[in-house]
Amino acid sequence: MARPLIAGNWKMNTTQAEAVALASAIAAQAGQFERADLLVCPPYVYLSAVATAIGDAPVALGAQDAYHEPSGAFTGEISTGMLLDVGCRYVILGHSERRHTLGETNEIVNQKLKVALQSGLIPIVCVGELLEEREAGRTAAVIREQVTGSLAGLTTTDATRVVIAYEPVWAIGTGKVATPEQAAEVHADLRKLLAEEYNPEVAGEIRLLYGGSVKPDNASELLAQENVDGALIGGASLKADDFLAIAAAG
Ligand code: PEP
């Protein structure tokens, strides 16, 4: 199995001073986590300051989104080239808050994904069902639709560079975590789907993260599940001790 990836999504939180303090606290201890890769995704405006705070520590930098055009008249948008320019290696795409609050479709995520891959960024594509979809027994169908739509047209080589985060929407920021069995079931389905879409080797290389109320006290059980290759963490990534405790569990 790939080394677990422990990724923090800071969302629209922190001041610049808080972002720098958080990154510095994580960077100071990052050397201890030989068995996990660490990633922080601060707000765009703090990327450079956080990159400086991280320095040479083994913590990767990522952004929470990117636009699919390289430059030009797209007021307010940020390109993948700009993200690379300030030191990003990763970019989160299709987070449920963007899909459900800002109306991002699989087609938009797919456009962004292709551009991110072309530019050399590692994309983390988020998928996940709403509570009503789970209750209607539609979880597998929703995940299939989001994965095939968001990853449409990728070569097998490109597919191996994608990270997928399964984030049940009902578990994000709610404190309601998926049970390890629920996470394991969807992750097994994801691996099977990727083997059908590409081939078993490619499916085995794609890291599958779980996200949704991951905390220090539930992380080890979730991360111990087969096919769970890491975690995407919102709330708990805003406290260095909690984020590092989750990394230790990985
Ligand atoms: C997220 O933002 O992707 C997330 C999983 O948030 P939380 O850990 O707060 O549920």
Side-chain angles (χ1 to χ4, degrees):
M1 191 196 85
R3 283 158 63 82
L5 175 63
I6 306 297
N9 172 14
W10 297 359
K11 310 193 189 191
M12 200 173 73
N13 291 303
T14 75
T15 61
Q16 178 160 258
E18 288 164 353
V20 166
L22 181 54
S24 304
I26 292 168
Q29 297 200 53
Q32 299 170 26
F33 299 98
E34 284 162 15
R35 293 191 311 119
D37 291 334
L38 304 186
L39 165 66
V40 293
C41 301
Y44 284 139
V45 289
Y46 305 142
L47 283 167
S48 289
V50 166
T52 305
I54 290 170
D56 293 335
V59 181
L61 186 67
Q64 299 170 20
D65 188 37
Y67 197 56
H68 64 273
E69 293 286 350
S71 64
F74 303 103
T75 301
E77 295 295 345
I78 302 286
S79 72
T80 55
M82 292 169 179
L83 298 179
L84 286 163
D85 196 22
V86 294
C88 287
R89 277 187 56 213
Y90 289 82
V91 61
I92 298 171
L93 297 175
H95 189 278
S96 72
E97 287 149 19
R98 299 202 62 86
R99 288 181 186 269
H100 297 293
T101 312
L102 299 163
E104 272 194 18
T105 60
N106 290 323
E107 291 69 31
I108 293 174
V109 176
N110 183 246
Q111 280 183 314
K112 292 181 172 188
L113 174 62
K114 287 178 174 158
V115 172
L117 284 166
Q118 245 166 34
S119 71
L121 285 169
I122 302 172
I124 301 177
V125 177
C126 302
V127 297
E129 81 287 3
L130 298 165
L131 184 57
E132 55 266 36
E133 292 168 335
R134 172 163 284 270
E135 287 174 347
R138 296 198 56 239
T139 299
V142 169
I143 301 295
R144 173 177 284 270
E145 195 179 300
Q146 289 180 342
V147 169
T148 53
S150 302
L151 273 64
L154 256 54
T155 63
T156 49
T157 313
D158 278 345
T160 57
R161 298 184 37 236
V162 176
V163 177
I164 295 178
Y166 167 55
E167 299 205 304
V169 180
W170 48 271
I172 298 179
T174 59
K176 273 190 221 156
V177 66
T179 64
E181 294 73 27
Q182 285 172 324
E185 186 184 13
V186 175
H187 281 237
D189 282 352
L190 269 171
R191 197 79 78 194
K192 220 162 27 168
L193 171 61
L194 294 167
E196 277 170 29
E197 291 286 311
Y198 304 101
N199 61 55
E201 285 84 64
V202 168
E205 279 184 52
I206 298 177
R207 274 167 155 178
L208 304 179
L209 313 185
Y210 169 78
S213 297
V214 177
K215 308 280 180 224
D217 63 357
N218 59 28
S220 43
E221 223 188 333
L222 286 162
L223 290 166
Q225 300 305 308
E226 204 182 338
N227 296 309
V228 175
D229 306 322
L232 181 54
I233 306 146
S237 72
L238 294 169
K239 289 191 187 135
D241 287 349
D242 285 358
F243 182 68
L244 293 166
I246 294 169

